[in-house]
Amino acid sequence: MDMKSRDMRAPNGPSSGKVPRTKRGERTRAKLLDAAAQEFGEKGFHEASISGITQRAGTALGSFYTYFDSKDEIFRSLVRHMSEQVKVNAYSGIKEDMTALQTERTALAAFFRFARDHKEIYRIIDEAEFVDPESYRLHYEKTAERILGRLRKGAESGEFRPDIEEAHAWAVMGMNVFLGMRYCVWSQDEPTDHIADVAEEFLRNGICRKSAD
Amino acid sequence: MDMKSRDMRAPNGPSSGKVPRTKRGERTRAKLLDAAAQEFGEKGFHEASISGITQRAGTALGSFYTYFDSKDEIFRSLVRHMSEQVKVNAYSGIKEDMTALQTERTALAAFFRFARDHKEIYRIIDEAEFVDPESYRLHYEKTAERILGRLRKGAESGEFRPDIEEAHAWAVMGMNVFLGMRYCVWSQDEPTDHIADVAEEFLRNGICRKSAD
Amino acid sequence: MDMKSRDMRAPNGPSSGKVPRTKRGERTRAKLLDAAAQEFGEKGFHEASISGITQRAGTALGSFYTYFDSKDEIFRSLVRHMSEQVKVNAYSGIKEDMTALQTERTALAAFFRFARDHKEIYRIIDEAEFVDPESYRLHYEKTAERILGRLRKGAESGEFRPDIEEAHAWAVMGMNVFLGMRYCVWSQDEPTDHIADVAEEFLRNGICRKSAD
Amino acid sequence: MDMKSRDMRAPNGPSSGKVPRTKRGERTRAKLLDAAAQEFGEKGFHEASISGITQRAGTALGSFYTYFDSKDEIFRSLVRHMSEQVKVNAYSGIKEDMTALQTERTALAAFFRFARDHKEIYRIIDEAEFVDPESYRLHYEKTAERILGRLRKGAESGEFRPDIEEAHAWAVMGMNVFLGMRYCVWSQDEPTDHIADVAEEFLRNGICRKSAD
DNA sequence: AATGAATGAGACTTCATTCAT
DNA sequence: CATGAATGAAGTCTCATTCAT
């Protein structure tokens, strides 16, 4: 987790007026953020405690408030940063010359890998529905927008149906999220490649029998 | 809410040793359950308070404990009962002579109606991920099983592809849930009929362009 | 316990204005008293609950207040009655023609038997120190008085030292009580006869070596 | 009480993970312990309240939990520490060259003084029978062991009877405790010197008339 | 007289946040 | 900046006692 979540560190949000001014401060802030990701991921927002965070971070309780205004604030930071990570990750494997279907599959595979490696992230984002609803909506709205963008591009190229609309993006997103939850977060009893095959075929043909089959 | 949630009342779980023995007790327990559904729906589990529940119910604080052992227990009761309601509702409009696709669409439509009318239920079931994870998993696993059963039946009749598997059910469920969240719970800017059309067409053909189009 | 504690039933204290007027009431009151002896003996005053008492008694919670004014009152009744029992018991084996030392030994033996058979009683009387201090003091003061009476009688007959005073009675009582606690209530690893021998010899000669030995 | 109970302060039990790390913390913990001794002594365990303790200590309610896990824990600390104090005190006046009988008398006198000055301690230790039975038994078992040790030493030197056994120690302890309760804690209507005389004479000769008298 | 639901004061405990060092 | 003690509001839960049936 250390190396991985190191990269998860949220940048100072625009509202956080507590920017560390020294190297040492920088380090402390980073430790707190890592610790918070662990703590929230393991215990959930309400069971998590500031003292749990500072203990994991190896700092004094009071130091928390040197860098964050409140429990809510650090949680918000985390959610938004993680949302960002999900986005960055989704695009990591996509190449310009892929077909639209290949693109979707690649994005899904990346998502699966990410979900498997960062199970705690999903707990955190999901819990935002209750702790920071705005971030939660924003996360899914932005994700849907990106998917919609890709689908539309596929439609323009003639690969996807021309009447693609927002609902298609939400349908794809829901499918992806639930498959990720079931096959990457809850258990990995099936190879994710196979699950990705099923999803790809779903996009290609739906679930009805094709005469071509 | 009164009439509606009246029907939501959880039966006594097998472990709850606090069964009302009089009509009056029956009424009080019902009032508490209704109130809890409201309170949890509006505030979420952690912000909700027993005293909030009893105030809504118009009973004394202590009366809560005449019928429930704890805040957790009433929440669990609620989640399980609501899960049950969702199930019952999904099958309400399905007729024997429908095609498999019609069946799916009908179930989706019922789900949409239900989600629109019982927004609080989805908050509650979702929050179970953190408060009562077992119920949460159970809810989605059982829902997936039911969908899988329907899909397999459709496969047997030759309408759906013959290699239907569990992942298909999770994909369909994810699609349904996210469409419900976006278009029924968050806002109703689009007619749900149209959304159901999109979903049905998705099942029929995926999102790729068909030469037949 | 049933038959035994049946006999322990407290008579209506002078302050209890709640005398049952029917046979049925008589029976209910008796059941409650038995139940209370059990409950207080097992759990102690504060952990004991009225509902625990009524459950043991097999009556409704509310019925308790038909016969007793409060938890304190029933406890007081119990303590005083038990104190009475201890007294009655102590004299049960004493005969007129015994020597003073035989009398003391007989009283101690009776006490040991009683303590062994009614362990709960000692918990109850001891707890009175905190719940009903007056009864507690009264119990030990009256017990000491009785012992003192016997010792004085022994002094008059020339068997005990002539300068017997109150402190002697308290010393004897303390010895008896602690031996009872250690060898009858806590464990019975030594035959009580032997313990009584030790106590008798203590009274006779103290613990110093006698040239006569 | 302040100066006196200052010395009563319990050391951190081995299980208490809440050790003050600063001078200020040290002081607060001490204030709480003193206050608890007062509160428990005056009101008894169950009537005592954490808020009563913190009020006496002049700290915020929450500060209690900075140093103790629960009401039970602080009570246990207190009982064990006080048991220790009783022991230390009993030996305070004993010199090596005393006769065995002088030794017992000295121990008793020390006990009397202690009981008079720390009445609350006896309430607390006695109440342990119900709140922390293990400590209670331990207290009396260890006290009996010490007495037994002294008596055996007296037997070896030929001053006490050679067949001294455990029961003798319990008899002596019972005598001492009850005399202390009656003449030091309940009231001081008789000079304790005289009471100690009676006890000493009891040990020397029992209560029977001696021809030598 | 019996029943069992209703009441509500009060206790313990948690923990985010502030403050003194 | 770091530290960790101090604060106190707020919440859950218990249970003796009262009340309606």
Side-chain angles (χ1 to χ4, degrees), chain A residues 42-128:
Chain A
E42 276 177 32
K43 304 202 179 170
F45 181 81
H46 285 97
E47 299 303 311
S49 66
I50 305 294
S51 98
I53 292 172
T54 54
Q55 264 166 268
R56 283 177 204 258
T59 72
L61 179 54
S63 299
F64 179 89
Y65 290 89
T66 308
Y67 299 103
F68 301 96
D69 285 327
S70 67
K71 191 181 177 184
D72 279 82
E73 199 222 85
I74 196 174
F75 185 80
R76 249 189 322 270
S77 300
L78 235 29
V79 170
R80 290 177 190 195
H81 183 62
M82 284 171 169
S83 175
E84 189 66 17
Q85 291 303 113
V86 172
K87 163 180 147 191
V88 168
N89 182 274
Y91 281 94
S92 63
I94 295 177
K95 304 281 186 309
E96 267 308 307
D97 59 352
M98 287 175 169
T99 66
L101 213 48
Q102 278 176 323
T103 301
E104 283 315 300
R105 192 196 158 112
T106 304
L108 177 59
F111 175 82
F112 280 174
R113 242 177 291 117
F114 198 74
R116 183 176 11 93
D117 294 344
H118 298 287
K119 296 195 172 77
E120 80 283 5
I121 289 189
Y122 286 95
R123 268 183 76 84
I124 293 174
I125 290 183
D126 277 5
E127 195 155 23

Side-chain angles (χ1 to χ4, degrees), chain A residues 105 108 112 179-180 183 189-201, chain B residues 165-167:
Chain A
R105 192 196 158 112
L108 177 59
F112 280 174
L179 291 174
Y183 296 104
D189 52 359
E190 306 241 8
T192 52
D193 268 359
H194 174 62
I195 303 299
D197 287 343
V198 169
E200 186 185 339
E201 177 61 18
Chain B
E165 57 179 280
E166 195 197 63

Side-chain angles (χ1 to χ4, degrees), chain C:
Chain C
M1 158 100 210
D2 223 16
M3 289 319 294
K4 269 182 277 171
S5 64
R6 200 56 169 246
D7 305 322
M8 306 266 109
R9 209 173 315 135
N12 304 323
S15 61
S16 168
K18 306 198 159 184
V19 188
R21 304 199 181 277
T22 68
K23 282 267 165 59
R24 190 185 176 198
E26 201 78 62
R27 245 178 301 133
T28 304
R29 188 176 200 278
K31 279 192 293 180
L32 285 168
L33 243 358
D34 282 357
Q38 273 181 47
E39 175 89 357
F40 286 133
E42 276 177 32
K43 304 202 180 170
F45 181 80
H46 285 97
E47 299 303 312
S49 66
I50 305 294
S51 99
I53 293 172
T54 53
Q55 264 166 272
R56 284 177 204 258
T59 72
L61 178 54
S63 298
F64 178 89
Y65 291 90
T66 307
Y67 299 103
F68 301 96
D69 285 328
S70 66
K71 190 181 177 183
D72 279 81
E73 199 222 86
I74 196 174
F75 186 80
R76 249 190 321 272
S77 301
L78 235 29
V79 171
R80 291 178 189 193
H81 183 62
M82 284 171 169
S83 174
E84 189 65 19
Q85 291 304 113
V86 173
K87 163 180 148 192
V88 167
N89 182 274
Y91 283 94
S92 64
I94 295 176
K95 304 281 185 307
E96 268 307 307
D97 58 353
M98 286 175 169
T99 66
L101 212 49
Q102 277 178 324
T103 300
E104 282 316 299
R105 189 194 159 114
T106 304
L108 178 59
F111 176 82
F112 280 175
R113 241 178 292 117
F114 198 74
R116 180 171 19 88
D117 294 345
H118 298 286
K119 296 196 173 76
E120 81 284 3
I121 288 188
Y122 286 95
R123 268 183 75 85
I124 293 175
I125 290 183
D126 278 4
E127 195 155 21
E129 179 176 357
F130 306 97
V131 178
D132 180 18
E134 198 198 322
S135 294
Y136 181 76
R137 278 177 78 135
L138 229 56
H139 169 71
Y140 281 118
E141 280 168 0
K142 291 197 306 195
T143 304
E145 261 170 45
R146 289 196 306 272
I147 295 176
L148 181 56
R150 296 198 307 255
L151 298 187
R152 286 225 164 99
K153 209 171 136 203
E156 276 159 26
S157 75
E159 192 180 342
F160 289 159
R161 48 189 309 150
D163 57 351
I164 286 292
E165 58 179 281
E166 195 197 60
H168 289 102
W170 283 82
V172 170
M173 178 165 65
M175 182 178 83
N176 291 357
V177 167
F178 268 65
L179 290 174
M181 177 167 85
R182 168 66 185 80
Y183 296 104
C184 302
V185 177
W186 285 4
S187 81
Q188 292 152 51
D189 51 1
E190 306 240 8
T192 54
D193 268 359
H194 173 63
I195 303 299
D197 286 343
V198 169
E200 186 185 340
E201 177 61 20
F202 203 141
L203 295 185
R204 183 182 295 119
N205 278 321
I207 57 171
C208 289
R209 176 139 101 141
K210 298 301 159 206
S211 26
D213 285 352

Side-chain angles (χ1 to χ4, degrees), chain B residues 146-191:
Chain B
R146 291 195 304 271
I147 296 177
L148 181 56
R150 296 197 307 254
L151 298 187
R152 286 224 164 100
K153 210 171 136 204
E156 276 160 27
S157 74
E159 193 180 341
F160 289 158
R161 49 188 308 150
D163 58 350
I164 286 291
E165 57 179 280
E166 195 197 63
H168 289 102
W170 285 81
V172 170
M173 178 164 67
M175 182 178 83
N176 291 358
V177 168
F178 268 65
L179 290 175
M181 176 167 86
R182 167 66 185 82
Y183 296 105
C184 302
V185 177
W186 285 3
S187 81
Q188 290 152 52
D189 51 1
E190 306 240 9

Side-chain angles (χ1 to χ4, degrees), chain D residues 11-32:
Chain D
N12 304 322
S15 61
S16 167
K18 305 194 159 187
V19 187
R21 282 179 233 277
T22 67
K23 281 271 160 58
R24 192 184 174 201
E26 204 79 64
R27 245 178 299 135
T28 304
R29 190 178 198 277
K31 278 192 295 180
L32 285 167

